[in-house]
């Protein structure tokens, strides 16, 4: 299934969060590898909120996280 299908299946999140997740995956389709601060800037949220959203996508198997702390990057998992 596509990342979009997987986002639709995530339960217990607001429509605003779902929209943010869709925007993140669209951005990542174009940029491939991103860091937390890029997503924070994209969404107009703080680094902590961006990290929570990124980890939600990691937990659902949509993204892969590599590296530690400030060096951590995120990539879309191959579908």
């Amino acid at each position: 299934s596509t990342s979009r299908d997987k986002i639709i299946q995530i339960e217990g999140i607001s429509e605003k969060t779902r929209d943010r997740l869709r925007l993140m995956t669209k951005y990542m389709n174009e940029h491939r590898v991103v860091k937390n601060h890029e997503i924070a800037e994209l969404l107009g949220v703080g680094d902590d909120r961006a990290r929570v959203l990124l980890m939600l996508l990691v937990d659902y198997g949509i993204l892969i996280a590599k590296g530690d702390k400030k060096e951590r990057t995120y990539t879309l998992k191959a579908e």
Side-chain angles (χ1 to χ4, degrees), residues 35-52:
K35 288 193 162 196
N36 184 65
H37 69 88
E38 292 175 75
I39 296 301
E41 192 173 307
L42 172 73
L43 300 177
V45 298
D47 285 347
D48 289 344
R49 182 64 183 149
R51 192 172 299 106
V52 167

Side-chain angles (χ1 to χ4, degrees), residues 22-69:
R22 286 188 189 113
L23 182 60
M24 290 165 62
T25 56
K26 181 179 178 190
Y27 179 86
M28 293 184 73
N29 274 322
E30 298 164 7
H31 295 85
R32 299 291 172 205
V33 178
V34 300
K35 288 193 162 196
N36 184 65
H37 69 88
E38 292 175 75
I39 296 301
E41 192 173 307
L42 172 73
L43 300 177
V45 298
D47 285 347
D48 289 344
R49 182 64 183 149
R51 192 172 299 106
V52 167
L53 294 171
L54 286 161
M55 291 312 297
L56 183 62
L57 293 178
V58 170
D59 290 346
Y60 274 84
I62 297 168
L63 301 183
I64 299 171
K66 296 180 183 174
D68 291 323
K69 306 207 176 180

Side-chain angles (χ1 to χ4, degrees), residues 13-29:
I13 61 172
S14 69
E15 201 54 40
K16 183 177 184 178
T17 296
R18 203 174 302 279
D19 288 344
R20 285 177 169 169
L21 297 177
R22 286 188 189 113
L23 182 60
M24 290 165 62
T25 56
K26 181 179 178 190
Y27 179 86
M28 293 184 73
N29 274 322

